[in-house]
Amino acid sequence: MKGTYNPPMGRSRRYLAAALTGPQVLAFMPALSLGAFWFGGEAWLLATALGLPALYALVGSFSQTAEDEAAALGGNPECAAHALDHAIQNAARDRKATACLVVAMDDADHLRRNYGGDILDTVTERCLSRLPGVLRQGDQVFAVADEETAIALAPVPRLDLETLIQLSARVQSALEEPVSVDATAVSSSWSVGFCLGSRNPGDDGADLLQAARAALADARRNGPSAIRAHTGTQPAPATVASDLCDEPAQGLEAGQFRPWFQPQLCTDTGRVSGFEALARWQHPVQGIIPPAVFLPVLEKSGNLERLAHEILRQSMEAIKHWDREEVKVPRVAVNLSAAELSNPTLADRVAWELDRFDVSPGRLTLEVLETVVVPSGSDVVTRNINALADLGCTIDLDDFGTGHASIASLRRFKVSRIKIDRSFVAGVDRDAKQQRMITAILTMADQLGLDALAEGVETTGEHAVLAQLGCRHVQGFGIARPMPLDQTADWVRHHERKLGQPTGIGRATG
């Protein structure tokens, strides 16, 4: 059915299949069987009991249902474009409207790194299997890229921007429901881009699909969990990462890589307890390029350590900037990659930067991925982390809960704080299992004398519940998105004014 025109006979079969294969038919089968027995005796009863299931199966095979189509995603964008061609033609003929939506998981790399490719495939498949529940019978679903899935909407009498936004939100909500894998609730975030047929920049289905994919690329740049409509000004998705392989070195030389800072709050006081420095590439042509695009390019070109050194240097400058502005920012957190941790000179280089900028080591937090330190048997990694801790820097174990860290690892690496992975944080305000998991992690941290920060906090409900459970620090889009340095001081002042006379909502306040 995908990518082909369905003649009137095919449509009639689809409607008949929908009527006779839907769950409503099950309610009538006992009544029909009893009626047959009443009018014709046992012979009719047997004929009805055997014939109805056969008819049910026969009619159900006339055409694929939306669920069948969603379960058998085509991996060819040409099929999606062909289906959209027919939708556009039918909409024009019947004076109706159509549209294309494209969805993609925002944190696929995160799930692959922390859970493995098999778990990622399982989560993706189960999330996408929910699409038929929010789509109509005539809507079609196609896999158009490794991480992108397109939805071709059947023509309807009325379809405007507000309707598409509401549909996108329903699709997004269905996709983001946690998936249970091996007794673990795995959460994911999805972005949605769409283009109305009336806003198609071209004439055919391929143009409509490309416009929706461009909107998705814009959503992912502003994600996670973003929804964007095609505006006509977004770059085509294929150009976002094109021609970048030779540019990182020049970009580093030109100062195009800058840290953006995301605030961390103390739940006991509500005040800023720090900022995390997150690298951004201010490309002169393509604008802000997200880490998901440029980090693989930098890794391939061997410039990751160079980027990290630049982010560390600019983070030291940020601390001096906040001090001059007289805003209280206790510390800044900088991420360390596996390559940096394997560099024997790392601790000396950090000490030199701290001395050069006259910054106390206690104001620098170094984040280390749990998946990096747990499998590591390297003496260099152990030496570096412990040397940095002895220097006075705070060591955060990032993405805690995804890398099977042992208590021995926490002690061996002199960890000061664990950062609870967002997969445990998502939906904690409405999921009792998530609450029990967070409570267990916090209890363990408390017994080991470790602080805890929950990352990926996206709602006020999650923030409040985490505070009540005793998580002393939180970070996420629900508090603030990463921002350039020149916006941080004003944000802190505005936040302090909102606090007024703060009343803590954490466990420590009673």
Side-chain angles (χ1 to χ4, degrees):
M1 178 176 172
K2 292 192 282 288
T4 59
Y5 172 68
N6 296 286
M9 185 61 182
R11 289 199 299 271
S12 300
R13 285 178 173 176
R14 266 201 334 274
Y15 299 147
L16 183 59
L20 295 182
T21 62
Q24 68 274 4
V25 75
L26 299 177
F28 294 98
M29 290 184 69
L32 291 172
S33 298
L34 288 174
F37 179 71
W38 178 266
F39 287 107
E42 292 185 5
W44 282 37
L45 173 62
L46 289 173
T48 303
L50 296 175
L52 278 179
L55 179 63
Y56 184 89
L58 178 63
V59 174
S61 67
F62 284 165
S63 68
Q64 285 184 300
T65 63
E67 184 172 359
D68 294 330
E69 292 173 358
L73 296 175
N76 190 344
E78 284 74 22
C79 291
H82 196 46
L84 287 167
D85 280 336
H86 288 305
I88 292 170
Q89 294 165 12
N90 294 340
R93 181 194 63 208
D94 301 332
R95 295 186 178 181
K96 293 184 177 181
T98 185
C100 177
L101 291 81
V102 183
V103 302
M105 186 186 294
D106 297 312
D107 41 9
D109 290 339
H110 175 84
L111 294 184
R112 183 183 294 108
R113 183 177 69 245
N114 293 322
Y115 295 100
D118 291 342
I119 297 297
L120 172 63
D121 292 343
T122 299
V123 171
T124 303
E125 180 181 348
R126 293 186 186 176
C127 288
L128 291 174
S129 70
R130 301 172 182 149
L131 287 177
V134 292
L135 299 177
R136 297 163 304 142
Q137 180 72 20
D139 299 335
Q140 299 181 66
V141 181
F142 302 86
V144 294
D146 287 342
E147 297 182 355
E148 297 180 9
T149 300
I151 302 170
L153 297 184
V156 292
R158 181 178 178 275
L159 195 62
D160 56 17
L161 180 63
E162 183 62 31
T163 304
L164 257 296
I165 292 174
Q166 292 175 5
L167 175 60
S168 299
R170 290 200 302 271
V171 167
Q172 186 183 67
S173 178
L175 292 171
E176 291 186 345
E177 281 294 315
V179 174
S180 179
V181 180
D182 297 333
T184 299
V186 180
S187 298
S188 58
S189 64
W190 292 73
S191 289
V192 184
F194 66 84
C195 182
L196 283 159
S198 60
R199 299 295 300 273
N200 188 358
D203 300 321
D204 58 15
D207 294 325
L208 184 59
L209 175 62
Q210 188 74 352
R213 293 185 66 195
L216 172 67
D218 187 35
R220 298 183 79 177
R221 285 192 293 271
N222 292 276
S225 296
I227 297 174
R228 291 292 186 274
H230 175 67
T231 62
T233 61
Q234 296 126 333
T239 67
V240 173
S242 63
D243 301 325
L244 296 181
C245 292
D246 298 329
E247 297 188 36
Q250 293 93 328
L252 285 166
E253 290 288 349
Q256 295 170 5
F257 287 89
R258 310 287 298 179
W260 282 32
F261 298 90
Q262 186 172 36
Q264 302 166 338
L265 299 185
C266 174
T267 57
D268 291 337
T269 65
R271 297 190 182 279
V272 173
S273 58
F275 277 96
E276 180 179 1
L278 301 165
R280 295 291 186 268
W281 186 359
Q282 179 66 59
H283 194 275
V285 176
Q286 300 188 19
I288 296 295
I289 299 178
V293 174
F294 69 72
L295 285 179
V297 178
L298 285 170
E299 185 175 14
K300 186 177 296 185
S301 62
N303 281 297
L304 270 184
E305 279 196 78
R306 192 174 170 191
L307 170 67
H309 185 272
E310 185 64 20
I311 297 302
L312 175 63
R313 182 187 66 78
Q314 294 187 46
S315 297
M316 296 296 98
E317 292 178 345
I319 291 176
K320 305 304 287 186
H321 169 77
W322 293 323
D323 290 346
R324 288 193 299 271
E325 292 290 321
E326 297 183 343
V327 294
K328 186 177 180 181
V329 178
R331 61 179 60 87
V332 63
V334 177
N335 291 273
L336 294 178
S337 69
E340 294 169 90
L341 287 169
S342 299
N343 186 339
T345 66
L346 173 64
D348 292 337
R349 177 161 54 83
V350 171
W352 186 81
E353 291 289 353
L354 289 167
D355 183 66
R356 180 162 76 105
F357 285 95
D358 192 24
V359 172
S360 167
R363 299 189 68 183
L364 176 63
T365 295
L366 297 165
E367 295 193 4
V368 181
L369 280 172
E370 181 185 13
T371 51
V372 170
V373 301
V374 170
S376 175
S378 169
D379 291 337
V380 174
V381 172
T382 304
R383 175 184 174 277
N384 273 333
I385 294 177
N386 290 338
L388 291 168
D390 292 339
L391 188 64
C393 300
T394 301
I395 305 298
D396 278 8
L397 190 61
D398 201 4
D399 291 347
F400 182 79
T402 62
H404 311 292
S406 64
I407 293 176
S409 297
L410 298 177
R411 295 173 60 87
R412 180 162 61 101
F413 289 108
K414 295 185 178 180
V415 172
S416 303
R417 183 170 67 177
I418 57 175
K419 293 189 73 175
I420 303 173
D421 185 71
R422 67 183 302 273
S423 62
F424 300 108
V425 172
V428 71
D429 54 330
R430 59 183 186 276
D431 189 333
K433 290 183 180 179
Q434 294 284 77
Q435 293 174 17
R436 289 194 292 270
M437 183 65 71
I438 292 290
T439 300
I441 293 172
L442 292 174
T443 299
M444 181 206 68
D446 186 56
Q447 292 298 312
L448 294 175
L450 302 177
D451 210 346
L453 180 148
E455 55 184 341
V457 178
E458 296 187 356
T459 68
T460 54
E462 292 171 355
H463 185 173
V465 169
L466 287 164
Q468 292 166 7
L469 292 175
C471 186
R472 294 192 62 240
H473 303 273
V474 290
Q475 173 184 349
F477 284 10
I479 297 161
R481 291 178 175 270
M483 64 192 80
L485 177 62
D486 57 10
Q487 296 178 14
T488 54
D490 287 340
W491 188 91
V492 173
R493 294 189 186 101
H494 178 69
H495 178 74
E496 292 286 339
R497 285 195 296 270
K498 286 196 303 182
L499 287 178
Q501 297 296 322
T503 55
I505 55 176
R507 185 168 60 184
T509 62

